[in-house]
Amino acid sequence: MTRAQPQTLAFETFAHRSLNYLSRMVDQNGQPYFNVFWTDPAEAAHDWPDFIDVTSRQLQAAIMARHMTGQELPIERVWYERLLSHRDAPSGLFFRPKTPYCNDTIDLAEQALALYALVTAFVDYQDKSLRDIIFTMVDGLWQKAKAGAFDKREYISAPGFMLKSLMVCARYMQNGQALDLARDFVQKVFSGDVVFTSDNRIRRGAHMHSTLRALVGAADYALTANDEEVYQKVRTLFEHVHSLGTAFGFVPEVVERQGDVISCETCAIMDYLGLAATLANHGNPEYWDIVERTARNHLIESQVVDVSWLVSDPNRPDTEQFTWRDIGARMIGGFAGWSSPNHLLAAQETLNAHWGGPELRDKPRAFQNCCGGSGIHALY
């Protein structure tokens, strides 16, 4: 009997596998699909996150995967052009267009993803025209903040979600307005009692991805501004997040959600690793143990390698919103939307309690593709 040779763990291997997913889980125009349903036959469906949210994440992931693997995907430039096509020139912000499955709107929370992707592209492309686009966008966000848009109930978590994006803009592009806005948002995030309590805990029911993204950005701000008080607050909150997970590197999707199977978005793993690595690099080297356990036991195990349980219909033609072709094969290299410690898919649920039109109701969810780009970002 021949024994298999042990394989050296190299994140480049997993990034290379993702190239299949990035290239193929799109329609004929290069627009990514947010939803993948475990139906008979399996189907992928467009939804409102496709235009700004998912396209931004996939563009950033394609750039990062290229740096890890040395392989450039044609879809990278397609996503870059598609994202820029949704720019509202007067405000500098990015909008969702009107379609049968999407209302035309400028969503403030989505601006964080677009800004992060565009700064990533600027650092890589060094395109001066992109610099002007980004600076106009930051000014547009500044104007929205001055007008109180971020104080509205539907955007109460947007300032925290935007911190990391503002900070990479401030550091890599020396944008002082982004740093000033980040400073204001840090104060907003920590002065209220919406997500973080006065004793440095996270409120029950908080969304882990959004919460950790706020902490990653706050850590970046604290290090840049030499704000020791904010840095120590972030470190204490990280310890609280770690206490909610497991010793082998699992964190839950929602903080202390009762009556639920344990599940986690790969988006949350990305930010958990980002925060742990930042803290480990700046005074807490013991957190590298958390990074390694999480990367080995949760991140790479969340990559899609076998989706034979998704049965496709290769003969059914695509529509404007749906595709039924090779769904499992196209998802190889993607990442789990809701993993458990020992399952790629933690629970069978529908979109009914969340969003989506009637054409998306009563269908069990298999994947959400915000997590695909986030998984590659986490590897990077």
Side-chain angles (χ1 to χ4, degrees):
M1 177 176 168
T2 304
R3 299 187 64 178
Q5 291 294 317
Q7 186 177 25
T8 301
L9 178 65
F11 288 156
E12 293 83 353
T13 303
F14 301 92
H16 189 271
R17 182 182 290 145
S18 290
L19 301 181
N20 168 79
Y21 158 78
L22 290 174
S23 300
R24 299 179 65 192
M25 188 42 70
V26 295
D27 66 16
Q28 61 181 358
N29 298 313
Q31 181 173 315
Y33 292 95
F34 175 71
N35 300 301
V36 177
F37 293 112
W38 192 0
T39 47
D40 187 12
E43 61 185 30
H46 286 311
D47 205 347
W48 61 259
D50 292 351
F51 297 100
I52 309 300
D53 183 312
V54 182
T55 296
S56 296
R57 295 180 195 261
Q58 306 298 65
L59 169 61
Q60 188 177 41
I63 295 170
M64 292 175 169
R66 171 162 51 80
H67 280 271
M68 295 185 75
T69 65
Q71 185 169 340
E72 181 173 358
L73 298 177
I75 195 68
E76 179 186 324
R77 281 289 173 170
V78 173
W79 284 328
Y80 179 65
E81 296 298 335
R82 287 190 66 89
L83 183 59
L84 291 182
S85 74
H86 297 303
R87 178 174 177 263
D88 175 61
S91 69
L93 304 182
F94 290 76
F95 65 91
R96 305 174 195 156
K98 179 69 175 177
T99 73
Y101 52 86
C102 180
N103 293 323
D104 52 333
T105 185
I106 290 178
D107 183 272
L108 292 181
E110 284 187 320
Q111 307 308 308
L113 296 163
L115 179 58
Y116 204 169
L118 290 176
V119 174
T120 303
F122 173 79
V123 171
D124 191 71
Y125 303 161
Q126 291 295 307
D127 184 339
K128 292 183 178 179
S129 64
L130 181 55
R131 180 184 184 277
D132 294 337
I133 289 172
I134 292 170
F135 277 38
T136 302
M137 183 184 188
V138 172
D139 186 64
L141 293 171
W142 180 268
Q143 298 303 325
K144 289 286 186 182
K146 285 178 61 178
F150 289 98
D151 297 324
K152 295 179 180 179
R153 181 176 180 83
E154 64 267 33
Y155 293 121
I156 200 70
S157 63
F161 199 67
M162 197 165 288
L163 279 173
K164 183 62 178 178
S165 308
L166 290 168
M167 285 310 306
V168 294
C169 183
R171 287 192 294 106
Y172 284 100
M173 305 184 72
Q174 289 76 55
N175 186 301
Q177 194 173 34
L179 181 60
D180 290 342
L181 192 53
R183 181 181 297 108
D184 290 347
F185 281 175
V186 166
Q187 293 174 355
K188 185 183 290 289
V189 165
F190 290 123
S191 63
D193 201 26
V194 177
V195 178
F196 305 116
T197 64
S198 57
D199 59 345
N200 291 331
R201 294 178 67 82
I202 303 169
R203 288 209 169 277
R204 175 176 290 175
H207 183 233
M208 189 63 82
H209 169 35
S210 301
T211 302
L212 284 168
R213 175 56 61 91
L215 292 175
V216 172
D220 195 335
Y221 168 79
L223 290 164
T224 302
N226 295 315
D227 193 323
E228 183 64 20
E229 181 180 355
V230 170
Y231 186 80
Q232 291 305 324
K233 186 181 288 287
V234 170
R235 190 188 64 79
T236 302
L237 283 162
F238 174 76
E239 288 285 352
H240 180 223
V241 172
H242 181 55
S243 74
L244 299 171
T246 69
F248 55 80
F250 179 90
V251 288
E253 175 190 14
V254 176
V255 175
E256 298 179 307
R257 178 165 58 185
Q258 293 183 327
D260 186 23
V261 233
I262 297 297
S263 65
C264 180
E265 299 172 303
T266 302
C267 295
I269 306 175
M270 167 187 67
D271 289 325
Y272 187 54
L273 285 167
L275 183 56
T278 298
L279 296 172
N281 271 323
H282 295 90
N284 297 97
E286 67 275 14
Y287 292 156
W288 284 120
D289 181 61
I290 296 174
V291 171
E292 182 169 11
R293 288 169 183 263
T294 303
R296 284 180 176 272
N297 300 327
H298 198 182
L299 174 60
I300 64 174
E301 295 297 334
S302 295
Q303 190 173 49
V304 181
V305 294
D306 178 9
V307 204
S308 55
W309 45 277
L310 285 179
V311 181
S312 301
D313 184 349
N315 299 315
R316 192 168 179 178
D318 294 354
T319 66
E320 181 180 356
Q321 187 175 5
F322 292 94
T323 181
W324 295 268
R325 296 178 293 102
D326 303 321
I327 302 300
R330 292 158 77 182
M331 277 303 302
I332 297 296
F335 283 83
W338 307 273
S339 60
S340 72
N342 56 354
H343 288 86
L344 190 69
L345 181 59
Q348 185 171 326
E349 63 164 353
T350 66
L351 269 173
N352 297 11
H354 302 280
W355 58 68
E359 76 282 1
L360 303 180
R361 303 283 170 159
D362 301 319
K363 295 178 178 180
R365 306 172 80 182
F367 298 102
Q368 56 178 354
N369 281 318
C370 55
C371 289
S374 294
I376 299 163
H377 187 160
L379 291 171
Y380 182 81

